[in-house]
Structure formats: structure tokens, C-alpha cells
Amino acid sequence: MPRPISAVISRAALTHNLLTVRRHLQQSTALQGGRMPAIWAVIKANAYGHGIEPAVQAFSGADGLAMLDFVEAVRAREAGWQGPLLMLEGCFEPRDLDLVTQYRLTLVVHGDMQLEMLQTIRVPRPIDVFVKLNSGMNRLGFSPEEYASAFERARALQSRGVLGSVGKMTHFARADDAVGTGPQMDVFRRVIAGLPGPVSVCNSAATWRDPPLATQSEAQDAWVRPGICLYGASPFEDLTAAGMGLMPAMTLRSRIIGVQSVPAGQAIGYGARFVAERPMRVGVVACGYADGYPRHAVDGTPVVVDGYRSRLLGRVSMDMMMVDLSDLPALGVGAPVVLWGQGGPDVDEVARHSGTIGYELLCAIAPRVPRLLAD
Ligand SMILES: *Cc1c(COP(=O)(O)O)cnc(C)c1O
């Protein structure tokens, strides 16, 4: 028998979430009298842990897919995706450009090295690019001072037939908090003013809260880039995924494989972090940090056992964790456990108890956990 752990992936939930984001965007753009942007569904990091192939199937209604690993881009093509594929970090070395032309990939160009690589190549067909502006996050992109000349160099490559469409792009650092996209959007608008071509901005948080291109007349061809919300988790601290109408696409499931009766005063697990305050019944779950469950989860982190809410007791170990069954006397070995997802706690809730965000938990699911397709 394999261990009883699995990550159940719901393509129906992925499709539902894309539709939910699209509807929300439609409403907010209509309210502002703008045009509906196109959607790059972000499937980087193995589709946030869900698997490239199920994501490609479920997101057949997206306008494009975005990722940054060339292996994942090839997998998306091989899974049958015909539309645009955006490489969010562009190419890393000159030989990547062979894959770019072979698999018709769209590139982000964020630095001089990448422009230099494009200077020397011959291409069977022009490559579409987005030239990235560093509008304040200080991660990738040309500075506002450098941008016009980088864009001009890209346009020169376009007139030589090396590049096809040349667009403008930036990424927001604070779309999910009270500051929002405003300050960076001001920089972006100022720098790209008058430059032709499509525009791409907006992760999930900005797509949901303030899609800033809605009223912008120059944004004929706008693309947003939601990721996390497509997987049924929230980018916000003050708004849950359920509150956004999203459905969890990954359900991490396991079972109780042992039960202990622990007298009052005895400790549970490594380092004796949790001490039983009364005689307790403790269930051992076949799920540990080697499966991707966060070791930093605190005592009390929610877990659902056979539909009943329970809590983590003691430190998570490599392959197991302990949960409280004191008030659930009917449940024992074999009882189903949901660590997060449908019928269990929200992944964001587990993340909050572990000092991290849902993103990290979803993409940290270990390769040893089998992924099962639910629908
Ligand atoms: C990851 C990423 C996104 C998607 O971000 P979410 O917060 O998951 O929606 C969008 N754009 C870029 C450049 C990214 O790296």
C-alpha cells in the first residue's frame, strides 16, 4: 500500500476560478467604461504545485499562459496549448532562443544582456516581446531613465524583423496592501507615454482590486497576469478566497495511521513543544514537512478529520504530525484527514498559522505526494 497521502487537483475548480476572475474583471472594467483586458493565466512553478498539464487543460479559456521555466513552456505546448506563452524572466542564455522560436514563445526583456542576445540572432519568424520597466519594485526591469532607450533598441530589432510585437510591462510590489498600485502605476504611465504596443500589468491582487488600465485609452491591447487566485487562494490579508468566490483547486488529504492516549502532563512530539493539559487522545497523520506541510505550523493550526475541525499538536515531523482527537472518540486509525482544500481548512489559514502565505504552501508540495485528478 502506498502512504495514504495525496494532493487532489480539481480542474473544475481551476476553470471556475479563471471564470470568476474574468467576470470580476469584466464588471470592474465595464464600471469604469474601459475595455476588457486579455488574461495571461500564470502557471509558473508547476502551476503553483498543481501540475502543468491539468492547468493547461483547465485554463483553455485563457488568452495566454505565463511561466518562466523553458521546460514548463515546452510541456504546455506538448499538452496542446496553441496560444501565446509568456516567459516572465525572458531568456537566460543565447541557446534559449532556439526554444523561443521553435515553440513560439513570447519573451519578457528586462535587461541589457537580453537585448544583446537578440542583436546577433537570425530567426525564422519574429519574436514577440514585452520590455519590462522597473517602476519601483526594484526586482527585474529597466529603470525609468533607461527605459526609453531600451524600448528604442527593441523597436530597431522589430524593424529588422527579429522582433514582432513590442509591448510594455511592469510588476507591482504592493497591489495587495493599502498602498496599492497607484505610485508604481504613475511611474509606468509617465514612462510609457506615447510608446506604441500592448501593455501588461497586474498580478492577482491588482487584477482584482484595481485593474488600472481600464480607463487608459492608450491601452488598446492590455494583458493582466493573475496567478494565485486561479488556484483558489487569496493574495489579500483582509479578503478570503471564499469571499472572492474562488474554489480551492488543491486538496491535501491523508489519514490517521496511529492513535495515542496521552496522560495529562506528558508532551507530544519532538522538542516536547505541546504538553497535554488533560488526558488526551492524539491521532497521528501521515503527513509531514517532507510532504510540503509547513514545519513552522503552530499548535492549534486547523486540520479537518472526517469532517470535524481539529488542531495540530506539537511539532510537525518529517513524515507525520499529531492532531487532537480528544473530542472525537469515534475517530481512529483510517479516519480521513484534510490538511487544506475542499472539506478542510483554507490553505491561507494554514499559511497564517505557519508564518507564510498560501503561495508557498501550494508550490512546496513535495514530488513524493501523488497528485490525483478529481474531475
Ligand atoms: C508570479 C507573477 C504573477 C502572478 O502573481 P500572483 O500574485 O500569483 O497573481 C504576475 N506577474 C509576474 C511577473 C509574476 O512573477
Side-chain angles (χ1 to χ4, degrees), residues 14 32 42 45 69 84 120 126 151 153 322 325 373:
L14 294 170
Q32 296 180 56
V42 179
D69 185 329
T120 52
F151 196 83
R153 286 169 72 192
M322 276 75 93
L325 297 183
L373 293 179

mmCIF file of all heavy atoms in Angstrom, residues 14 32 42 45 69 84 120 126 151 153 322 325 373:
data_model
loop_
_atom_site.group_PDB
_atom_site.id
_atom_site.type_symbol
_atom_site.label_atom_id
_atom_site.label_comp_id
_atom_site.label_asym_id
_atom_site.label_seq_id
_atom_site.Cartn_x
_atom_site.Cartn_y
_atom_site.Cartn_z
ATOM 1 N N LEU A 14 -10.191 24.976 -11.025
ATOM 2 C CA LEU A 14 -9.298 25.882 -11.767
ATOM 3 C C LEU A 14 -10.098 26.652 -12.821
ATOM 4 O O LEU A 14 -9.967 27.879 -12.949
ATOM 5 C CB LEU A 14 -8.166 25.088 -12.445
ATOM 6 C CG LEU A 14 -7.155 24.386 -11.525
ATOM 7 C CD1 LEU A 14 -6.248 23.457 -12.337
ATOM 8 C CD2 LEU A 14 -6.313 25.393 -10.755
ATOM 9 N N GLN A 32 -15.897 51.158 -15.136
ATOM 10 C CA GLN A 32 -15.029 52.296 -15.426
ATOM 11 C C GLN A 32 -15.083 52.707 -16.892
ATOM 12 O O GLN A 32 -14.332 53.578 -17.325
ATOM 13 C CB GLN A 32 -13.577 51.940 -15.069
ATOM 14 C CG GLN A 32 -13.381 51.690 -13.589
ATOM 15 C CD GLN A 32 -11.926 51.342 -13.280
ATOM 16 O OE1 GLN A 32 -11.009 52.086 -13.592
ATOM 17 N NE2 GLN A 32 -11.714 50.194 -12.689
ATOM 18 N N VAL A 42 -1.195 32.612 -15.099
ATOM 19 C CA VAL A 42 0.187 32.309 -14.708
ATOM 20 C C VAL A 42 0.260 30.861 -14.213
ATOM 21 O O VAL A 42 -0.466 30.474 -13.292
ATOM 22 C CB VAL A 42 0.694 33.298 -13.641
ATOM 23 C CG1 VAL A 42 2.124 32.951 -13.232
ATOM 24 C CG2 VAL A 42 0.631 34.728 -14.179
ATOM 25 N N ALA A 45 6.017 27.631 -11.665
ATOM 26 C CA ALA A 45 6.203 26.739 -10.504
ATOM 27 C C ALA A 45 5.247 25.547 -10.553
ATOM 28 O O ALA A 45 4.531 25.264 -9.596
ATOM 29 C CB ALA A 45 6.041 27.523 -9.186
ATOM 30 N N ASP A 69 9.991 28.945 -16.670
ATOM 31 C CA ASP A 69 10.884 27.818 -16.904
ATOM 32 C C ASP A 69 10.634 27.305 -18.328
ATOM 33 O O ASP A 69 9.485 27.005 -18.683
ATOM 34 C CB ASP A 69 10.544 26.749 -15.858
ATOM 35 C CG ASP A 69 11.472 25.557 -15.905
ATOM 36 O OD1 ASP A 69 11.977 25.229 -16.997
ATOM 37 O OD2 ASP A 69 11.674 24.942 -14.852
ATOM 38 N N PRO A 84 -0.557 32.080 -27.022
ATOM 39 C CA PRO A 84 0.711 32.664 -26.582
ATOM 40 C C PRO A 84 1.192 32.109 -25.238
ATOM 41 O O PRO A 84 0.388 31.770 -24.367
ATOM 42 C CB PRO A 84 0.378 34.158 -26.435
ATOM 43 C CG PRO A 84 -0.953 34.372 -27.030
ATOM 44 C CD PRO A 84 -1.652 33.058 -27.120
ATOM 45 N N THR A 120 22.183 39.437 -32.229
ATOM 46 C CA THR A 120 23.008 38.625 -33.130
ATOM 47 C C THR A 120 22.251 37.481 -33.785
ATOM 48 O O THR A 120 22.819 36.774 -34.604
ATOM 49 C CB THR A 120 24.177 38.013 -32.324
ATOM 50 O OG1 THR A 120 23.623 37.351 -31.183
ATOM 51 C CG2 THR A 120 25.143 39.091 -31.860
ATOM 52 N N PRO A 126 9.509 36.452 -36.476
ATOM 53 C CA PRO A 126 9.800 37.437 -35.424
ATOM 54 C C PRO A 126 9.305 36.994 -34.050
ATOM 55 O O PRO A 126 8.294 36.309 -33.937
ATOM 56 C CB PRO A 126 9.048 38.689 -35.894
ATOM 57 C CG PRO A 126 8.698 38.452 -37.317
ATOM 58 C CD PRO A 126 8.621 36.980 -37.520
ATOM 59 N N PHE A 151 13.604 50.506 -25.039
ATOM 60 C CA PHE A 151 12.433 50.316 -25.901
ATOM 61 C C PHE A 151 12.789 50.637 -27.360
ATOM 62 O O PHE A 151 12.390 49.930 -28.286
ATOM 63 C CB PHE A 151 11.276 51.197 -25.417
ATOM 64 C CG PHE A 151 9.949 50.806 -25.991
ATOM 65 C CD1 PHE A 151 9.206 49.775 -25.418
ATOM 66 C CD2 PHE A 151 9.446 51.452 -27.108
ATOM 67 C CE1 PHE A 151 7.981 49.399 -25.957
ATOM 68 C CE2 PHE A 151 8.218 51.077 -27.654
ATOM 69 C CZ PHE A 151 7.481 50.046 -27.073
ATOM 70 N N ARG A 153 15.738 50.367 -28.721
ATOM 71 C CA ARG A 153 16.548 49.254 -29.254
ATOM 72 C C ARG A 153 15.656 48.083 -29.667
ATOM 73 O O ARG A 153 15.895 47.438 -30.689
ATOM 74 C CB ARG A 153 17.571 48.783 -28.208
ATOM 75 C CG ARG A 153 18.738 49.752 -28.043
ATOM 76 C CD ARG A 153 19.583 49.408 -26.821
ATOM 77 N NE ARG A 153 20.382 48.194 -26.991
ATOM 78 C CZ ARG A 153 21.016 47.570 -25.998
ATOM 79 N NH1 ARG A 153 20.939 48.047 -24.756
ATOM 80 N NH2 ARG A 153 21.732 46.492 -26.229
ATOM 81 N N MET A 322 0.754 15.272 14.580
ATOM 82 C CA MET A 322 -0.233 14.785 15.526
ATOM 83 C C MET A 322 -1.380 15.794 15.642
ATOM 84 O O MET A 322 -1.156 17.009 15.604
ATOM 85 C CB MET A 322 0.407 14.559 16.896
ATOM 86 C CG MET A 322 1.077 13.189 17.007
ATOM 87 S SD MET A 322 2.638 13.082 16.140
ATOM 88 C CE MET A 322 3.753 13.496 17.472
ATOM 89 N N LEU A 325 -7.675 14.337 18.959
ATOM 90 C CA LEU A 325 -8.920 13.576 18.757
ATOM 91 C C LEU A 325 -9.696 13.440 20.067
ATOM 92 O O LEU A 325 -10.614 12.629 20.166
ATOM 93 C CB LEU A 325 -8.605 12.171 18.205
ATOM 94 C CG LEU A 325 -7.942 12.087 16.825
ATOM 95 C CD1 LEU A 325 -7.766 10.622 16.412
ATOM 96 C CD2 LEU A 325 -8.750 12.823 15.774
ATOM 97 N N LEU A 373 -6.155 13.513 -10.101
ATOM 98 C CA LEU A 373 -7.120 14.425 -10.731
ATOM 99 C C LEU A 373 -8.514 14.048 -10.261
ATOM 100 O O LEU A 373 -8.916 12.886 -10.337
ATOM 101 C CB LEU A 373 -7.021 14.328 -12.246
ATOM 102 C CG LEU A 373 -5.723 14.849 -12.838
ATOM 103 C CD1 LEU A 373 -5.714 14.690 -14.345
ATOM 104 C CD2 LEU A 373 -5.512 16.324 -12.468
#
